[in-house]
Amino acid sequence: MPSGLRYIPDMTFVPALPLTPSGPVAKAVVAPVASPLVDPFGRHVNYIRVSVTDRCDFRCVYCMAEDMDFLPKRDLLTLEELDRLCSAFVARGTKKIRLTGGEPLVRRNVMGLIRGLSRHLESGALEELTLTTNGSQLVKFAGELAASGVKRINVSMDSRDPDKFKAITRWGDLAQVLRGIDAAQSAGLAVKINMVALKGVNDAEIPGMIEWAHGRGMDLTLIEVMPMGEIDAARFDQYLPLSQVRADLMDRYTLKDLAYKTSGPARYVEIAETGGRLGFITPMTHNFCESCNRVRVTCTGTLYMCLGQEDAADLRAALRASDGDTLLNEAITEAIARKPKGHDFLIDRAVERPSTSRHMSVTGG
Ligand code: SAM
Ligand code: SF4
């Protein structure tokens, strides 16, 4: 075990109580941070992204094949287990939880999980509970999300052209997503739009998207496509380096680098002409692994210490092995001690294989 990592075996955790269909009755609180998570490179891990389902009501062309095999429901962690897992991380110093997927809002009774986790916001142990969504279910859930202490959400939207939106998402309906964004803003949620830059598909829409998002008081973040999982298209044909997008935008707008950061990987600029913020997530052209503070948990309880590597730890076995969290904590400690320095994503015309066999929908964005 590297120095700086110390497992305290007698850390006590109050087990979560069962969730009811109408909401959690769980009122378990976690003990003060006893043993924070620090990786071998001295990076504090205080942010988890939790994929609550691998299923989705869209089939975005860069994310999934149209004909996807999803996990059998019996393999998934229950909502109670997800709560217990998240709470164990909170007890180890996690300050931010992002729920993702697949589409997190299609998991049955996901609001019960969210309401349950909000107790950690109330106790002050957790600073932020948020989610990344495709927006399709926001009309239904925006109000409840806001009432549960969620302050801001990311909505993925790659085009404002209904036909193109349909072509990219295969199954999505732009009007429904726009109604969802309206509902989120009306409920008081801050919305950030995520847009994956796709060569020859939505690149010409980027200025329009900036002006639309900023006109509605929303940040926009552009994302480079990552070579994760087999899809029906060639990655190389989709990949648009954001270094090139940024250079093109500088011909049109005045970009001012900002020190502003969320706990994610985006680097932000302000666009003087709109007064809004534009983020760049550039895993391909410029990786920011040196400041990585996060790990990802899948809906089966597999912990990935890096989005771009295959190494993983099975937390489900540790969760199910006993009612207490001692084994779970040992498994988390061992996994964090293996967090790699960074990813080595590669997109090249000559390389057909994806860098990871799993799709983004397994670990979430
Ligand atoms: N379904 C939700 C959504 O679309 O926002 C959450 C899960 S989705 C996997 C999370 C984010 O990952 C989205 O912003 C999506 O655009 C992005 N994404 C998916 N596959 C990607 C890929 N291969 N490269 C880059 N971003 C990807
Ligand atoms: Fe679903 Fe999100 Fe993947 Fe699109 S990017 S297929 S909405 S999980």
Side-chain angles (χ1 to χ4, degrees), residues 221-235:
T221 294
L222 302 173
I223 305 175
E224 284 175 342
V225 80
M226 292 169 236
M228 299 185 64
E230 295 286 355
I231 52 170
D232 299 328
R235 288 282 176 203

Side-chain angles (χ1 to χ4, degrees), residues 206-220 249 252-256 258 269-279:
I206 292 174
M209 193 70 109
I210 291 172
E211 288 168 27
W212 170 77
H214 291 179
R216 295 186 51 138
M218 304 184 293
D219 290 351
L220 172 70
L249 289 174
R252 196 174 182 127
Y253 301 113
T254 316
L255 271 51
K256 190 176 136 221
L258 293 177
V269 296
E270 183 184 85
I271 302 215
E273 288 77 1
T274 63
R277 270 191 301 248
L278 175 68

